[in-house]
Amino acid sequence: MAVARDYPRHWVADVLASDGGVVHLRPIVPEDAELIVDFHGKLSERTRYLRYFGPYPTISQKDLFKFTVVDHRTRVAFVAMLGDEIIAVGRYEGLTGEGDGLSAEVAFTVSDAHQGRGLGPVLLEHLAGAAAENGLHTFVAEVLAENRHMISVFREAGYQVSRSFEGGVVRLEFAIDPTEALVSVRNARERAAEARSVRNILGPGSVAVIGASTDSRKVGNAVLVNMLRSGFTGPVYPVNAEHRSVHGVRAYPTVRDIPDEVELAIAAVPAESIDAVLDDCLAKGVKALLVVSSGFGETGPEGRDSERRLAHAARAHGMRLIGPNALGVANNDPAIRLNATLAPVLPAAGNVGFFCQSGALGIAILDEAAKTGVGLSSFVSAGNRADLSGNDLLQYWDTDPATEVVLLYLESFGNPRKFSRIARRVARGKPIVAVKSGRHAVPPALAARTGEMDDTIVRYLFEQAGVVQVESIAQLFDSALLFGYQPLPAGPRVAVVGNSTALGVLAVDAARGEGLHAADSVDLGAQATPDEFAAAVAKALAATDVDAVIAVFVPPVAVDVQPYAQALRDTVAGTEKPVVTTFLATEGIPDVLAVRDSDGKPVRGSVPSYPGPERAAKALARAWRS
């Protein structure tokens, strides 16, 4: 349907309902008359009664004209769209005979099928924004006293509402100026909706793999194999028009043919086939679409146009889009066990959430995480980031109890201001460590599409948001090991304890070079016993002028190192000061220094080891400055 565009274009928005679904919001236009009639006809008698204070079974032509023909100034109306259907309407109308003429009456109606999705507060927020632009100061609403839900919408929106009663009608009045409480409520609603939308993606009840192939060389084969090997706890439906089964699992010609609900669909088909896949997913009511296929925005103008159409169509029908050109998503929660990625092996379960824009680097990054012992709670590679972004993931990880540390590999910023606002809040409770690829590391097509921020601005943005910026993937994981398994240092004072003079000197120099305060190392000598090694570490931890300890260790020749490891691990158990080591020059969490839960997963209290004292000192310094 052609829709007139004689209203402020910035009023158009794709918004998230409280259940994480996408809803398209735009001003009403005269061409919506038929849709309004359909919308009204589907309302229950109860909903019409509460809205219009009477039965009002049909809309008269006079009212229909009034409802759909507005001036977008003194009379404004928004429609919430799902596909080609109106599912909610909100409007305000200026009150000419009241006060200084800067008041308006506000009302909204939500279809019965979509009530309880938080659309009322969303409509109210956008109506208030439009009213403020048009110079209005106050909203008035008249609500039946029995309509408690509607009254609570106004009361809980963050406004200072005054109420008066006349008969069975409650008159509500409130200023629409944004107060601190109002902004807080809006941000909380945004946070909850975005977190829920990501939760729908990382915890789907069912998954369809579109383009699942019997050919081991094809992407669709890899995705399906990884899904099956991960032990995903829900049903997996291969979609293949040529085979009745793929890898022994019943296959279906299209998503539409799957008899049960599909919550997440993975598209592993050529870019030119994506339109048909999208149509099938929209018809099926799929909640989220993960596109691992390439051939979109990264290829140039034509690909960017295809990508925009894909994102617009997905959002218009309430679907979240991951990608295109994405490596995939994963969730190590044992209740879900989702590996919807092209990576054959995921790092072990842990407390680190990882967002990566790059699909090309994703597999290498995951491999590096596995080697260093960084356990992941969940992982998302958003590829071209046509819809789902790092901001959405931050909102999710902020509310995810399984995630204690957040890692970000970023190539560009979609909305730097929003990133700063969200990251500042998240970083107060969970460390965020980020590596931002340089301008010259970004593919030209991507740089042209997104634009690049000057490195100085990026550094300032991270500092203001409380994000720990690192320069490489190795440093990213070095920090994750410390943040994920040890407490944060309360200050810059470091003690170095070890059985090697040379390593001790290097560690002290490295710590001082990073701006930490390090006294000369405590050198125990190569003949130190496990008990002597542990006692020296314990003494350093107990010192009031020490905030962190670097334990450097070289195994004595022909001596079992297990007692030394056990002594170190037992000594630092429960300490409130971080301890890092160069034990055996290994990288990550050595088995001998791991503290494991009942599932065998390394948990807090495990001692991270670094190949050399320089990297250990850098990690401590970043933790202190965070």
Side-chain angles (χ1 to χ4, degrees), residues 12 129 145-146 172 192 216 371 462 571 575:
V12 179
E146 61 190 281
L172 308 171
S216 61
K371 289 179 180 178
F462 283 151
T571 297
T575 180

Side-chain angles (χ1 to χ4, degrees), residues 275-538:
D275 288 343
V277 167
L278 180 63
D279 290 342
D280 288 340
C281 289
L282 297 179
K284 184 63 178 176
V286 172
K287 290 182 179 180
L289 177 64
L290 165 62
V291 180
V292 298
S293 314
S294 58
F296 291 90
E298 77 279 4
T299 64
E302 186 175 342
R304 289 197 293 274
D305 289 342
S306 298
E307 186 175 302
R308 279 193 291 267
R309 289 195 301 271
L310 172 64
H312 176 75
R315 288 195 295 259
H317 289 79
M319 185 188 305
R320 298 278 350 225
L321 173 68
I322 309 97
N325 194 30
L327 178 68
V329 303
N331 188 345
N332 274 330
D333 185 338
I336 298 170
R337 298 202 299 272
L338 174 71
N339 181 6
T341 77
L342 299 178
V345 179
L346 292 178
N351 60 2
V352 176
F354 191 5
F355 174 80
C356 173
Q357 274 183 231
S358 172
L361 290 177
I363 293 179
I365 290 173
L366 287 175
D367 184 61
E368 186 70 15
K371 289 179 180 178
T372 57
V374 173
L376 299 185
S377 58
S378 49
F379 167 83
V380 173
S381 161
N384 293 359
R385 202 168 37 87
D387 178 24
L388 192 81
S389 71
N391 290 342
D392 295 300
L393 268 298
L394 284 175
Q395 301 279 39
Y396 168 75
W397 283 321
D398 188 32
T399 63
D400 178 31
T403 300
E404 299 177 17
V405 182
V406 173
L407 303 185
L408 305 174
Y409 177 84
L410 303 174
E411 292 177 344
S412 61
F413 290 94
N415 187 336
R417 184 173 299 177
K418 183 176 180 179
F419 172 84
S420 179
R421 171 170 58 84
I422 297 172
R424 188 180 301 114
R425 185 193 69 246
V426 177
R428 287 197 289 265
K430 300 182 179 183
I432 302 174
V433 188
V435 57
K436 171 68 170 62
S437 62
R439 178 187 299 272
H440 301 296
V442 179
L446 180 63
R449 178 163 64 96
T450 61
E452 279 299 304
M453 297 170 60
D454 179 84
D455 288 346
T456 302
I457 298 176
V458 171
R459 186 165 55 252
Y460 177 78
L461 174 67
F462 283 151
E463 288 177 355
Q464 292 301 304
V467 174
V468 179
Q469 183 178 12
V470 296
E471 299 174 358
S472 67
I473 297 298
Q475 291 183 9
L476 192 74
F477 291 131
D478 282 352
S479 293
L481 288 169
L482 178 54
F483 285 125
Y485 296 106
Q486 288 288 308
L488 296 179
R493 301 166 299 180
V494 176
V496 176
V497 178
N499 67 345
S500 166
T501 303
L503 271 184
V505 171
L506 286 175
V508 170
D509 287 346
R512 291 171 179 172
E514 293 297 327
L516 299 173
H517 304 163
D520 291 340
S521 65
V522 177
D523 186 3
L524 303 173
Q527 303 305 314
T529 66
D531 288 341
E532 291 170 337
F533 183 59
V537 172

